[in-house]
Amino acid sequence: MSKFIHSLLLFVVIKFGVPHVHSQTLDLSKAQIYTTISDQNILLRSIEVLQNEAEKRSGIKWPVTKKLPKSGQSVIRIALENEVTKLPPAYQTALNRLPELKSEGFKLVALPSEKAILIVGKDTRGILYGIGRFLRNADMRNGSVQIPDQLALSTSPRYPVRGHQLGYRPKTNAYDAFTVAMFDQYIRDLAMFGANSIEIMPPRTDDDFTSPHMKLPASKMIVEQSRICKEYGLDVWMWYPNLGKNYTHPDSIQKELKEREEIFSTLPKLNAVFVPAGDPGDLEPDVLFAWLAKEAVLLQKYHPHAKIWVSPQVFRPTQKWFDAFFSHVNKEYSWFGGVVFGPWIKLPVQKIREIVKPSIPIRHYPDITHNYSSQYPVPHWDLAYALTSGRESINPRPHDEKAIHNAFDQYGIGSISYSEGTNDDVNKFVWSDQDWDPERPVIETLREYSRLFISPDFTESFAQGIIALENNWKGELLTNESIDRTLVQWQQIEKQAPLKVQQTARFQMGLIRAYFDAYTRQRLIYETNIEQQAKGILENTKSGNSAESLKQARAILESAWKKPILPDYQAKCQALADSLFKSIGAQLTIKKHGAMSGRGNFIDLINMPLNDAPWLLDQFNQAEKITDESGRLKKIQEILHRTDPGPGGFYDHFGDPDSWHRVVQTLPWKEDPGSLQSPRIGFGVGLVGEEWVDEIQATGFKGQVTPRVWMKQAKTLYDEPLKIHYDELDPKADYRIRIAYTGRFRSRMKMTTDDGQVIHDFIKTGDTPIYEFDLPKAAIADGQVTFIWTCGEGERGSQVTEIWLVRK
């Protein structure tokens, strides 16, 4: 064997461990656990994790022995790295072959000749994570525990902060229904995949104070969360927004400090407090940092080493605000921990890294829980999915999460994710594994997730099933035939799996998505066909028959809900939703499961209209009120030809993939998944007086029913220009441009061309959808033009839905 190949194989073993398909295994069914570590402050609950998790899956409870088992008896030996010199020579030789460890790292080695597994931690956490990786690699089934006998792994985390937010508040889609024991298990699960931090929330947030699901008051549950983390040796962070009405008046400040003292004084452990500058709690930087200095004194009274971290998170930022904010950041106050980069931050993280001093750390706060209107939305998501799955459905996105992580990880010290419940469960484990090792293939994480949480028998099929669910959301739903194959994959697992696996919440979360996606696609095909039939009736309307044509077209459209398809698929989703509520408190409907609107209740949306029926029926109502036949016929033609730009004209809907080629893309998605420097797809029509609408509906402006296409548009964030390019125009022609401005931002926008022509100055959008302007002939002198939209300072972003270029 060449030295190169030998070195390559050694790298693979060290970096990733031996592939699990290795045919030789070490039988640990009769093993004993042995450690010379007597300090319980080092072991904490690590031995308990090893014993409990193996016993759950195999029925075997390994005894802990105080004496090293005799030769020939299998043993799981746990040690600290500084104890290696006290181990037998064979153990030392095997361990010394592997690279040295860094903080929180571990070595995991199988010694078949000694019938031993060595778990050696650099420190307390290293032991816990070594046990976690051992359990992830073990084949555990009733009466048997096997491990690959060539396992030899040395690994240390790339980043020091690796965690997730588990807020106990009503707005979440499951956490508020957790018991203490459920939090203990979930935190343990996350720790087994390398998480070292859990972020909790105070009782008062931008939410209701309590919910009917809560088993304990929030003030008591956060104490339990903190205690659990302390027992596992994990860090505790707290997301704590500023919700007071005044942070300058002495009386108001004392009230806020009193609230925080009641919380800080009760928590067994608190390492850091993260305060968002806004969303909620907008404060001017001078006021914010003066207040935080007072809060820090109180924090460190009870937790002397705790620091306060701050994010420049604000909905409508100005340059003046940022200048003041970063001026304070760079003063490096003694109580200041660092900057948090999360949702609704205008500046890219690489720009923040340039602005703040190198000594100031940045922590990522990635939104892994939301599908749209979020930091990292599903790219080019189909409108049918946005309508039915909503913003916060079960959303495994393993490859997307890796791409997002790896685009920005080098600018920070790790991450604590933004999560609103169990819907993002897979994403949590992928993200933690990437914070540990950004080079690790996603499929390896998914295989370990499947082996540990589902069954060794379904390691590969379940992992591939998760990837198939992610692929369900790619491309146009109407033509994505793989969705039906995905359902078959999951049905085969369900058919083969024992009842214990079928009742596992993580299996049911995947299964419900497979059925939901397939149901949604088949319904889209069905309703698209129904719409075409209805339009066909109208197309053939003859004079004197308009009323009857409208009646027939209405009946066809109404058949979508009067004659629904696949009732067994819908019933399956409802049954799985009930089961998930019972097992993990997942709230997938409002009425039956007590969900909050827009917070995971995607089963409520399962029958949202997927065609243009709402708008068409509204138009039919208007047509039927017209008394004369010619007027009705004219109205029918307007309905059918709403998008017609006329001879030689152009029409584009920028929520449609067929028109996206006109949108100027400055960076590829993998370089800018948060689209802070490039355009993205947006959803929603926008309602006058409403900043936020929980669900996407064909209703907008002042409450009127709108065309389906108005629910999806191209947009940019903040003052990033939105550019749309047209070519092959007739330079000799005169054009009039008609534009549909829809979307929830309702910003002040200005429209110009690439040669400096002003189409319109700043106008406040959102009050009316359609605007028309003459297109300056000079702008198309060469047969092409790039339209440019910009926002005023402090606006949320630019949005464009439709364009008609009509020849005069």
Side-chain angles (χ1 to χ4, degrees), residues 27-320:
D27 186 355
L28 297 173
S29 304
K30 296 181 179 180
Q32 297 181 55
I33 300 170
Y34 175 70
T35 181
T36 56
I37 303 171
S38 58
D39 189 345
Q40 195 57 37
N41 291 323
I42 295 175
L43 286 176
L44 296 176
R45 294 177 64 183
S46 294
I47 301 293
E48 174 194 339
V49 171
L50 178 59
Q51 289 179 303
N52 288 358
E53 297 304 318
E55 185 178 14
K56 287 176 191 174
R57 293 160 175 84
S58 68
I60 299 169
K61 184 170 184 178
W62 290 313
V64 178
T65 179
K66 295 182 179 180
K67 293 183 178 180
L68 183 63
K70 297 177 181 180
S71 178
Q73 188 169 2
S74 55
V75 62
I76 301 171
R77 183 147 186 178
I78 299 169
L80 287 169
E81 189 183 41
N82 60 17
E83 297 179 320
V84 168
T85 56
K86 300 177 183 178
L87 298 177
Y91 290 17
Q92 293 186 46
T93 300
L95 291 167
N96 290 336
R97 288 195 188 113
L98 301 175
E100 291 185 6
L101 298 175
K102 298 178 182 178
S103 178
E104 301 187 16
F106 61 86
K107 294 180 181 180
L108 180 59
V109 180
L111 294 175
S113 62
E114 306 290 329
K115 293 189 177 181
I117 283 287
L118 306 181
I119 303 174
V120 176
K122 179 71 174 181
D123 43 37
T124 296
R125 286 180 179 168
I127 291 172
L128 177 62
Y129 301 137
I131 287 171
R133 184 65 71 89
F134 165 78
L135 292 167
R136 288 154 61 179
N137 278 273
D139 184 312
M140 295 180 281
R141 58 188 73 235
N142 189 35
S144 171
V145 179
Q146 308 283 328
I147 196 81
D149 68 2
Q150 296 299 304
L151 185 65
L153 175 66
S154 176
T155 180
S156 301
R158 175 78 60 86
Y159 297 109
V161 177
R162 308 175 304 281
H164 304 281
Q165 187 181 84
L166 306 181
Y168 187 68
R169 60 171 179 165
K171 193 178 286 186
T172 66
N173 56 58
Y175 298 146
D176 58 330
F178 272 28
T179 62
V180 174
M182 291 168 71
F183 272 121
D184 188 300
Q185 185 62 56
Y186 203 50
I187 291 169
R188 176 187 290 193
D189 289 352
L190 294 169
M192 287 192 289
F193 277 74
N196 68 0
S197 302
I198 297 297
E199 190 160 74
I200 60 178
M201 293 185 178
R204 181 170 68 120
T205 66
D206 57 333
D207 201 350
D208 295 337
F209 190 74
T210 188
S211 90
H213 305 297
M214 287 184 167
K215 308 301 188 293
L216 286 178
S219 59
K220 293 186 178 180
M221 185 60 86
I222 61 174
V223 173
E224 294 296 322
Q225 289 177 301
S226 175
R227 173 190 61 77
I228 292 165
C229 291
K230 183 177 181 180
E231 290 177 357
Y232 285 118
L234 309 182
D235 285 349
V236 180
W237 290 60
M238 176 172 276
W239 178 82
Y240 209 138
N242 297 315
L243 296 175
K245 295 181 179 180
N246 189 310
Y247 285 89
T248 57
H249 192 280
D251 292 346
S252 298
I253 289 173
Q254 285 305 311
K255 181 180 178 181
E256 292 296 309
L257 288 175
K258 181 181 178 182
E259 175 191 293
R260 282 156 179 77
E261 183 162 27
E262 291 173 354
I263 295 167
F264 296 158
S265 64
T266 61
L267 296 178
K269 186 176 185 178
L270 185 60
N271 300 86
V273 172
F274 160 31
V275 180
D279 186 27
D282 294 343
L283 292 177
E284 289 301 313
D286 289 349
V287 175
L288 172 66
F289 280 85
W291 153 246
L292 293 180
K294 297 179 177 68
E295 183 176 3
V297 173
L298 188 62
L299 171 65
Q300 294 181 343
K301 174 182 176 182
Y302 297 99
H303 306 280
H305 302 294
K307 302 281 187 178
I308 293 180
W309 294 61
V310 189
S311 68
Q313 185 174 343
V314 58
F315 276 142
R316 303 184 185 278
T318 63
Q319 189 58 49
K320 180 181 178 182

Side-chain angles (χ1 to χ4, degrees), residues 4 106 174 291 328 359 384 430 471 501 530 562 569 622 705 789:
F4 171 76
F106 61 86
W291 153 246
H328 282 286
S359 58
V430 169
N471 291 335
V501 169
I530 282 174
K562 290 183 177 180
Y569 280 26
Q622 295 179 32
V705 181
W789 288 264

Side-chain angles (χ1 to χ4, degrees), residues 6 10 41 130 140 153 178 221 308 312 323 330 396 405 446 482 645 657:
H6 182 272
L10 182 60
N41 291 323
M140 295 180 281
L153 175 66
F178 272 28
M221 185 60 86
I308 293 180
D323 290 344
N330 282 324
H405 178 279
L446 297 181
S482 67

